[in-house]
Amino acid sequence: MFKEITNTAATNILPPLSPIVSPWMEELIDHPVVVNELLEKYGSPINIHHLTPFHDNYHTYKNIFESFDLRHKVMFARKANKCKEFVKAAKESGFGVDTASYKELEECLEIGVPVENIVVTAAVKNDDLLRLAIANDVLVILDNEDECNLTKAIAKELNKKAKIGIRISGFHFQGDKLYSRFGFDIDTVFDFIKSKFGKFNTYSTLEYCGLHFHLNGYSTEQRGTALLASLGLAEKLSAYNFQTQFIDMGGGLLMNYLENKSEWEDFENTLKAAVKGQHDPITFKNNGLGYEMIDGELKGKMKVYPYYNDNAKANFLRNVLTHKNEQGQTAAEIAKAQNIELRIEPGRSMLDQTGITVAKVAFRKQDSDGEWLVGLEMNMTQMHSSSADFLLDPKVIFNHPDAEANPVGVYFTGAYCLERDILLQRKIQLPQLPAIGDIILFLNTAGYMMHFFESEAHLFDLAKNVILKENYSALSSENFKLD
């Protein structure tokens, strides 16, 4: 049986994961009165956003494309966060929006985003969505032949020419065929386009404009290979008078959440030791986050986002663009020679440092294992993504700091009547046990954490979203507005 992690022992046992903290977040943490006022006004939890880093992230990508003298377009993946202010900011700064539903598209049109800066990439495109897109001359990325047929029928009915791109997948990489459930197979799509859009003119109401792909995972080598294959397809199509105006590389551009590489490595090593029984558990019920013991051996790998990585944003995009073919030409050189516009659809990385989730402590208790559980006025869907855990240390605003208190390891739990409503699987070391009414701040949650899986079970209200105005002198609760 594992030894219980006591207050003082936790100092040496629980590995930290220190987040990168932007100045506006630091300022907010330093103004507990303002945070308390916001919680009193809007309830717990609350999502707080600031748009300045959003603009900065856009310019990071813009500058990389411009350094290669490439025609380009950055399309913010709207599904990553539901706040309208990000759409308005995209409109103001002149970049695009990638929409994945009828309401997302409708909102962009109502806000006045230019139609040439909107794309529809929804995984399922029904009649209403396609009708709205076609009627407004919005580009639609088509994933399969059924979508092509439905788009053709609607365009004919509306007496319009639908602007479309073709999504492709199944790229060959190091002897393997990369799987994706999205898109036409790269090995057959040339014949499909040549016959359906050309020889037989089946899709006479569809205007071919370009190619789109999305890859799972974060390999720049795979993306570079996919981009080169797409450029090769575009060149083949040009011989049959199909002009590829753009190639869209989709999203999934890495960002970095953490300050310290050694902390990230220490955490993984300690996690593995805990799963093997060589260390006290550092996660709830010794959750391996992907690691497990099978027949006495450690198997698997962490099923989490790479929260620390040194191949983020600008470096990630640069590595894709400089990927070389067998002749030594880079993807950027080929795209420029073919005069093809390159597009990306970042979501998470465009929202880097733009948001935090804040909640109040409701209770503290020790469970039957002797572990401290700190219940918050929020639930697991309000800070959840596809990652097995959100691996950043939260910040705490203690209403009554106690310099003489012993540090303690805690688990944060939520308000759903589920045993698994554990907000963070990782045990978090704090300088003292939080009190009722203390405030927990989860940093950098704007991208896919706040809204992607948020639900209203138990009839709980969804969290309010507030925006910190960009130009303020002294921080106060008056500097914030509802989204």
Side-chain angles (χ1 to χ4, degrees), residues 132-353:
L132 182 63
I134 296 166
N136 288 278
D137 297 315
V138 173
L139 176 72
V140 179
I141 303 300
L142 297 179
D143 178 85
N144 54 73
E145 198 162 354
D146 284 340
E147 284 187 355
C148 291
N149 292 333
L150 180 57
T151 304
K152 167 191 171 182
I154 295 171
K156 183 177 180 180
E157 180 186 337
L158 296 177
N159 194 27
K160 299 276 288 187
K161 192 92 165 177
K163 296 180 179 180
I164 64 98
I166 297 293
R167 179 180 278 151
I168 52 178
S169 62
F171 301 100
H172 297 271
F173 179 75
Q174 296 181 352
D176 293 324
K177 192 169 175 63
L178 300 178
Y179 177 79
S180 173
R181 74 179 182 92
F182 300 105
F184 292 85
D185 191 281
I186 185 71
D187 294 332
T188 59
V189 71
F190 171 74
D191 289 333
F192 173 79
I193 295 173
K194 186 176 70 169
S195 63
K196 298 287 187 176
F197 288 81
K199 182 178 179 181
F200 300 110
N201 205 22
T202 306
Y203 297 129
S204 59
T205 58
L206 308 185
E207 179 185 350
Y208 168 78
C209 297
L211 301 170
H212 178 287
F213 67 83
H214 171 77
L215 294 182
N216 198 26
Y218 305 104
S219 166
T220 53
E221 290 82 5
Q222 289 183 4
R223 286 165 193 261
T225 298
L227 177 55
L228 288 172
S230 301
L231 289 164
L233 174 60
E235 186 174 22
K236 284 178 64 178
L237 288 169
S238 67
Y240 291 84
N241 296 318
F242 293 106
Q243 181 59 46
T244 300
Q245 300 169 25
F246 69 85
I247 294 175
D248 192 326
M249 296 179 275
L253 288 84
L254 275 175
M255 60 170 275
N256 178 39
Y257 285 89
L258 299 173
E259 286 185 347
N260 195 298
K261 183 178 182 179
S262 63
E263 286 185 354
W264 179 244
E265 293 172 342
D266 288 346
F267 167 75
E268 184 169 12
N269 289 334
T270 307
L271 176 67
K272 289 191 287 187
V275 174
K276 290 190 288 186
Q278 299 169 354
H279 194 286
D280 291 318
I282 61 171
T283 55
F284 191 72
K285 298 295 183 182
N286 206 23
N287 185 330
L289 306 180
Y291 286 117
E292 57 182 332
M293 293 297 290
I294 300 176
D295 297 329
E297 292 188 20
L298 184 70
K299 301 288 187 180
K301 61 181 180 179
M302 285 203 296
K303 296 178 180 178
V304 299
Y305 189 85
Y307 288 96
Y308 180 87
N309 67 85
D310 51 16
N311 190 29
K313 287 194 289 197
N315 286 339
F316 187 96
L317 179 57
R318 185 184 294 109
N319 287 338
V320 174
L321 296 176
T322 55
H323 193 77
K324 294 181 179 180
N325 63 12
E326 293 179 353
Q327 290 72 42
Q329 295 174 294
T330 67
E333 291 169 342
I334 297 170
K336 185 177 179 181
Q338 293 181 217
N339 194 31
I340 289 177
E341 179 179 271
L342 295 184
R343 299 182 177 185
I344 55 174
E345 297 166 358
R348 183 191 301 263
S349 62
M350 278 290 288
L351 296 165
D352 186 17
Q353 297 296 317

Side-chain angles (χ1 to χ4, degrees), residues 279-442:
H279 194 286
D280 291 318
I282 61 171
T283 55
F284 191 72
K285 298 295 183 182
N286 206 23
N287 185 330
L289 306 180
Y291 286 117
E292 57 182 332
M293 293 297 290
I294 300 176
D295 297 329
E297 292 188 20
L298 184 70
K299 301 288 187 180
K301 61 181 180 179
M302 285 203 296
K303 296 178 180 178
V304 299
Y305 189 85
Y307 288 96
Y308 180 87
N309 67 85
D310 51 16
N311 190 29
K313 287 194 289 197
N315 286 339
F316 187 96
L317 179 57
R318 185 184 294 109
N319 287 338
V320 174
L321 296 176
T322 55
H323 193 77
K324 294 181 179 180
N325 63 12
E326 293 179 353
Q327 290 72 42
Q329 295 174 294
T330 67
E333 291 169 342
I334 297 170
K336 185 177 179 181
Q338 293 181 217
N339 194 31
I340 289 177
E341 179 179 271
L342 295 184
R343 299 182 177 185
I344 55 174
E345 297 166 358
R348 183 191 301 263
S349 62
M350 278 290 288
L351 296 165
D352 186 17
Q353 297 296 317
T354 65
I356 63 176
T357 298
V358 183
K360 275 188 177 181
V361 173
F363 67 80
R364 303 84 41 83
K365 63 176 286 187
Q366 282 186 289
D367 65 12
S368 56
D369 292 332
E371 300 284 5
W372 276 106
L373 307 181
V374 176
L376 303 186
E377 294 181 21
M378 65 180 294
N379 64 69
M380 65 183 185
T381 73
Q382 292 171 314
M383 197 186 65
H384 181 66
S385 74
S386 57
S387 184
D389 200 16
F390 187 59
L391 297 176
L392 284 72
D393 289 345
K395 300 289 185 179
V396 182
I397 295 177
F398 296 101
N399 290 319
H400 302 288
D402 183 357
E404 297 182 0
N406 289 323
V408 59
V410 308
Y411 292 107
F412 293 108
T413 67
Y416 279 169
C417 298
L418 296 170
E419 291 284 0
R420 65 188 184 92
D421 195 351
I422 309 297
L423 298 174
L424 299 178
Q425 295 297 316
R426 188 166 64 100
K427 180 183 280 189
I428 303 297
Q429 181 182 310
L430 301 176
Q432 68 187 69
L433 186 67
I436 295 171
D438 284 349
I439 298 169
I440 312 301
L441 302 95
F442 301 99

